[in-house]
Amino acid sequence: MKPANPQDIENSPEDNPLTHWSDGGLVVIPTETVYGLAADATRDDAVAKIYALKNRPSFNPLIAHVADAQMAKHYVQWNDWAEQLSIAFWPGPITLILPLLPHATISALATDGGDTLGVRCPLHGVTLPLIKAFGKPVVAPSANRSGRISPTSAQHVREEFGDDAPLIIDGGACTVGIESTVIDLTDEVPVLLRPGAITQDMIEAVLGVSVHLPHQVSNEQVRLKSPGMLTRHYAPTTPLRLDATQVHAGEALLAFGMHVPGGASHIFNLSMHGDLVEAASRLFEGLRALDACGASRIAVMPLPTEGIGAAIADRLKRASAAE
Ligand code: TXA
Ligand code: MG
């Protein structure tokens, strides 16, 4: 037996996952599929830390992990298919993509500014009661750095993050070992976006309708569905001008850092201290605020592109390409 790892769950308050979540921190949670890197789904600052630690080059939408269907219904527009699938398979390895409720308090960073949310109720004896006790969803991608394989043991997570590892709850080896099935229930036909342990046949048997694969859906529909595509994701209606070092007449300014050029009608500073994690957490708020202020254009100051800066740059590029 190895000595207890200090990052394992213990009884002291600083190792209480609920305290970490309440403080906007990250906790690695075991699930039946893979280990997840989890944060309070309603806080931009907490969600930004996930992207920063994973080093993700873009803000893919994250799955909100709920304690039960009741909790999910506070955040997404429930429908008959969701009811049937949740009765059949929850808690278990299937994620349901549903329309986000208009006033849901989910972080815009977690949905990449989109209007849908993936909800999933994990089958795990430690994690499920924890989410119930927290009282709101936690978003969690697989607990690996971007581009690497998903971890199925606490040891994998420790190896993956080394000294950067947040609190890890060791729940043993994951029983399923592959990521959850992802099914989109926002359209006339259910679309299987990611295969998993809950198979197409199993879903069709429950719903009594045929489930489509992405290639069976029209190009237009796929374009609308693909995570990260602008049509479904927030983009300002005011044009953006990237890498601006000066402000032109009539422009609002999305600023970063202490040294800000003058002349803007309105300024939103993503991070006065030049902190990229803070900048990511305030990105959607800043775009919305400046979009609403009536400027003819939004000038965006250059930001460093290392770490989470790459995801910010990707998001700004897509927002500036919007028609
Ligand atoms: O088993 C799992 O699902 C694990 C554990 C931790 O729960 N989580 C996981 O998360 O695999 P992640 O972020 O590595 O993968 C989530 C997948 C991505 O392919 C993402 O594009 C898709 O789900 N997804 C999430 N929200 C979506 C949405 N609103 N619309 C379309 N696809 C979505
Ligand atoms: Mg993953």
Side-chain angles (χ1 to χ4, degrees):
M1 289 295 288
K2 281 182 289 172
N5 187 303
Q7 282 155 345
D8 289 348
I9 182 168
E10 285 166 15
N11 287 330
S12 56
E14 62 271 23
D15 283 331
N16 181 339
L18 297 176
T19 312
H20 281 249
W21 281 337
S22 299
D23 292 344
L26 304 181
V27 179
V28 175
I29 52 168
T31 81
E32 78 283 31
T33 60
V34 300
Y35 276 72
L37 187 58
D40 182 342
T42 68
R43 284 178 62 158
D44 290 326
D45 61 338
V47 176
K49 291 178 191 162
I50 293 179
Y51 289 106
L53 187 57
K54 274 188 74 89
N55 224 350
R56 254 191 183 174
S58 62
F59 297 121
N60 294 334
L62 301 177
I63 295 170
H65 295 67
V66 294
D68 48 33
Q70 208 48 45
M71 186 185 277
K73 289 174 193 171
H74 287 112
Y75 300 91
V76 290
Q77 182 73 56
W78 206 243
N79 61 30
D80 289 345
W81 289 337
E83 184 69 12
Q84 290 163 347
L85 291 175
S86 67
I87 288 170
F89 301 122
W90 274 10
I94 184 165
T95 298
L96 314 177
I97 308 292
L98 291 160
L100 193 61
L101 284 176
H103 300 293
T105 49
I106 299 293
S107 155
L109 209 54
T111 60
D112 191 26
D115 55 13
T116 62
L117 180 69
V119 286
R120 141 163 159 78
C121 178
L123 175 62
H124 197 282
V126 176
T127 295
L128 206 52
L130 208 55
I131 299 171
K132 202 177 215 73
F134 190 52
K136 48 187 169 169
V138 290
V139 279
S142 49
N144 51 278
R145 304 250 194 217
S146 182
R148 298 180 36 102
I149 54 164
S150 301
T152 52
S153 74
Q155 185 54 31
H156 291 170
V157 182
R158 282 185 209 111
E159 286 163 13
E160 187 73 15
F161 294 117
D163 290 344
D164 295 336
L167 176 69
I168 299 171
I169 302 173
D170 191 341
C174 301
T175 52
V176 174
I178 58 166
E179 294 93 339
S180 63
T181 303
V182 177
I183 182 120
D184 188 326
L185 304 177
T186 63
D187 229 322
E188 293 93 65
V189 285
V191 181
L192 187 71
L193 297 180
R194 182 171 73 181
I198 307 290
T199 64
Q200 184 175 357
D201 289 350
M202 291 161 77
I203 296 169
E204 288 177 340
V206 169
L207 297 184
V209 297
S210 60
V211 165
H212 288 224
L213 299 175
H215 72 260
Q216 293 172 304
V217 186
S218 73
N219 279 346
E220 175 64 5
Q221 272 172 297
V222 172
R223 197 173 67 79
L224 293 174
K225 294 286 165 207
S226 308
M229 297 307 270
L230 286 169
T231 332
R232 277 244 161 173
H233 291 266
Y234 175 75
T237 53
T238 314
L240 298 191
R241 185 168 67 84
L242 302 183
D243 290 323
T245 50
Q246 290 174 344
V247 177
H248 300 163
E251 284 184 338
L253 182 68
L254 191 64
F256 178 78
M258 299 260 284
H259 305 289
V260 176
S265 61
H266 296 79
I267 296 179
F268 187 100
N269 200 321
L270 291 172
S271 172
M272 300 263 269
H273 314 288
D275 176 343
L276 284 171
V277 178
E278 183 183 24
S281 77
R282 286 163 54 77
L283 181 62
F284 287 100
E285 188 193 339
L287 286 172
R288 276 181 203 279
L290 295 182
D291 198 21
C293 75
S296 60
R297 196 158 50 189
I298 301 169
V300 182
M301 285 179 66
L303 280 85
T305 52
E306 78 258 12
I308 196 173
I312 298 174
D314 170 77
R315 198 66 190 76
L316 285 168
K317 203 167 128 219
R318 288 191 282 125
S320 69
E323 285 122 49

